[in-house]
Structures are given as structure tokens and as C-alpha cells.
Amino acid sequence: SQQGEEDPQALSIQEGENATMNCSYKTSINNLQWYRQNSGRGLVHLILIRSNEREKHSGRLRVTLDTSKKSSSLLITASRAADTASYFCATETGANNLFFGTGTRLTVIP
Amino acid sequence: EAGVVQSPRYKIIEKKQPVAFWCNPISGHNTLYWYRQNLGQGPELLIRYENEEAVDDSQLPKDRFSAERLKGVDSTLKIQPAELGDSAVYLCASRETSGTDTQYFGPGTRLTVL
């Protein structure tokens, strides 16, 4: 399967702390994307990192990509209660299809 | 700008009944995707359209699932007959074919098969 795997499956932190989620995948990719999904809602695109990039920032988000290890991490700094959601990594191959991981359930405690 | 629209949001049916889901993508988006998301899992691609052509339907269970995108705009996904294992959230996404790499997702249809 080309589906990635997130680690940990669940994460609970206090508001203001940083949250780190990891993603591992199996095949060569064009890019890797992170999405957020609030309970009962659709997915929201957060950030995309291309295979020739190593790090990318967007607001409180920092994404790293290590293609040699086929892994990525998402760091959310200064977390807020509103960040509570499930976070998915998705890899895109040459066929322009996305393959999603199993997700990390993040709970930020006020 | 309106996002991806899906209807209905929720559907409860008895097994062996047919069901249909509708999706209207963002205006100007030529690529449309249908995904299925089981509880506690990530979405899995069912079918991808480029305009009205289904360019990847390798993951679509063709014995009971069908999809169409007449006129290359909105799309319908059908299940006939539904089975208990079809209970899931069905997500539609669209994307500019020659533009960004971002897929924009609709809110999904939550299907419960009893």
C-alpha cells in the first residue's frame, strides 16, 4: 500500500505547548501535503512540501521532509484549543493522486 | 468563492437499497475526486475525473459502485445495492488541472447502512 502512517495515533497537550506529528511513507513522491479535519467536517489543506524541499513554514506550522528516510514531520507551535482536530499527511505521486495516512488525533487542552 | 458542495450531508438506508451522492466542484476546477473515509482512517481514492473522463477508477468497486460526471462539472456517485460495509463518509474534492497542487474538499456525505 502507498498509504502513509502517522505517529503518534493520538496526542494530548496543554494549550501553548508545541505539537509534533510524524509521517512515514513507502514510495517516491512528487510532494507531501498535510491536511486537518475537524470532527464531522471535510479536510482542510494546511501546507505542501515538494520532494526537492527540506523545510517549509506557514504561520505556526513547520513541515520538514526527509526523502532519504521517507518521512515528514509537522510541528504546530504555541498550540490553541482550536487546533484540536485530526491531522493527515498525504503523498502525491506522478499519477497526481493523493494517498492519505491514518491520521493523528490531536487534543489541545485549554 | 463557494467551496465544494456535497449533498446530502447525511444518509441512512437499509442494506440492499440504492443510494446516490452529489458533488458540485469549485467553479473552473476540471479535476474531481471521490474518496471514501472509514471511521478512524484516512480517505481512500475511489475515482478521479479529468473533465468528464474517468482517468483513474482502479479503486472503484465496479460491481456495485458507479459514478458519472456529465458535462464535466458536477458528479454523482451511486451504490446499488448498498452493503453494511459501505457505511463511511464519502468525500468529494476538486482541483485546478493546470494550477496548484491543492485539492479542495467538500464536507462529505456520512452514509449509514442498517
Side-chain angles (χ1 to χ4, degrees), chain A residues 34-48:
Chain A
W34 286 90
Y35 285 79
R36 182 184 73 218
Q37 186 176 39
N38 292 86
S39 181
R41 303 281 188 91
L43 285 92
V44 174
H45 183 264
L46 296 177
I47 195 167
L48 179 153

Side-chain angles (χ1 to χ4, degrees), chain A:
Chain A
S1 169
Q2 292 174 278
Q3 190 178 48
E5 291 187 6
E6 278 95 337
D7 172 62
Q9 290 186 334
L11 180 61
S12 184
I13 59 174
Q14 295 287 335
E15 198 166 31
E17 294 180 339
N18 296 340
T20 299
M21 289 159 264
N22 302 298
C23 169
S24 61
Y25 57 93
K26 298 178 181 178
T27 64
S28 296
I29 61 172
N30 287 346
N31 63 68
L32 186 144
Q33 305 179 32
W34 286 90
Y35 285 79
R36 182 184 73 218
Q37 186 176 39
N38 292 86
S39 181
R41 303 281 188 91
L43 285 92
V44 174
H45 183 264
L46 296 177
I47 195 167
L48 179 153
I49 186 165
R50 301 188 188 283
S51 60
N52 60 354
E53 297 176 312
R54 292 297 168 258
E55 187 171 314
K56 204 162 185 179
H57 296 255
S58 177
R60 293 184 297 113
L61 305 180
R62 172 178 170 257
V63 170
T64 62
L65 178 65
D66 186 335
T67 53
S68 66
K69 295 181 179 179
K70 291 187 170 57
S71 67
S72 174
S73 67
L74 171 67
L75 169 67
I76 304 174
T77 59
S79 63
R80 306 167 181 168
D83 294 329
T84 294
S86 291
Y87 291 81
F88 294 91
C89 69
T91 54
E92 184 160 18
T93 64
N96 295 325
N97 290 333
L98 280 180
F99 295 92
F100 285 83
T102 51
T104 292
R105 174 70 189 166
L106 174 65
T107 301
V108 181
I109 303 167

Side-chain angles (χ1 to χ4, degrees), chain B residues 3-20:
Chain B
V4 177
V5 179
Q6 290 189 248
S7 69
R9 290 294 312 278
Y10 305 91
K11 189 73 176 179
I12 301 174
I13 61 171
E14 300 276 340
K15 64 181 180 181
K16 301 185 181 179
Q17 294 298 306
V19 64

Side-chain angles (χ1 to χ4, degrees), chain B:
Chain B
E1 179 181 295
V4 177
V5 179
Q6 290 189 248
S7 69
R9 290 294 312 278
Y10 305 91
K11 189 73 176 179
I12 301 174
I13 61 171
E14 300 276 340
K15 64 181 180 181
K16 301 185 181 179
Q17 294 298 306
V19 64
F21 315 120
W22 177 81
C23 171
N24 186 255
I26 293 173
S27 178
H29 283 195
N30 297 322
T31 306
L32 183 146
Y33 304 80
W34 282 103
Y35 291 86
R36 176 170 59 190
Q37 185 176 21
N38 292 312
L39 187 65
Q41 300 293 316
E44 295 179 321
L45 179 69
L46 291 174
I47 189 168
R48 174 167 66 100
Y49 281 93
E50 297 287 349
N51 299 301
E52 65 274 11
E53 182 182 0
V55 297
D56 188 345
D57 63 355
S58 57
Q59 301 303 312
L60 189 71
K62 298 181 183 63
D63 56 337
R64 297 182 300 107
F65 286 65
S66 64
E68 61 183 14
R69 192 184 183 198
L70 302 176
K71 301 181 181 178
V73 181
D74 53 353
S75 176
T76 302
L77 177 68
K78 299 178 181 177
I79 309 175
Q80 183 172 12
E83 297 179 352
L84 295 177
D86 295 331
S87 294
V89 175
Y90 291 83
L91 295 163
C92 178
S94 72
R95 170 191 199 175
E96 292 183 43
T97 302
S98 58
T100 68
D101 295 295
T102 302
Q103 293 187 24
Y104 295 88
F105 282 79
T109 297
R110 181 177 297 276
L111 173 67
T112 301
V113 182
L114 303 176

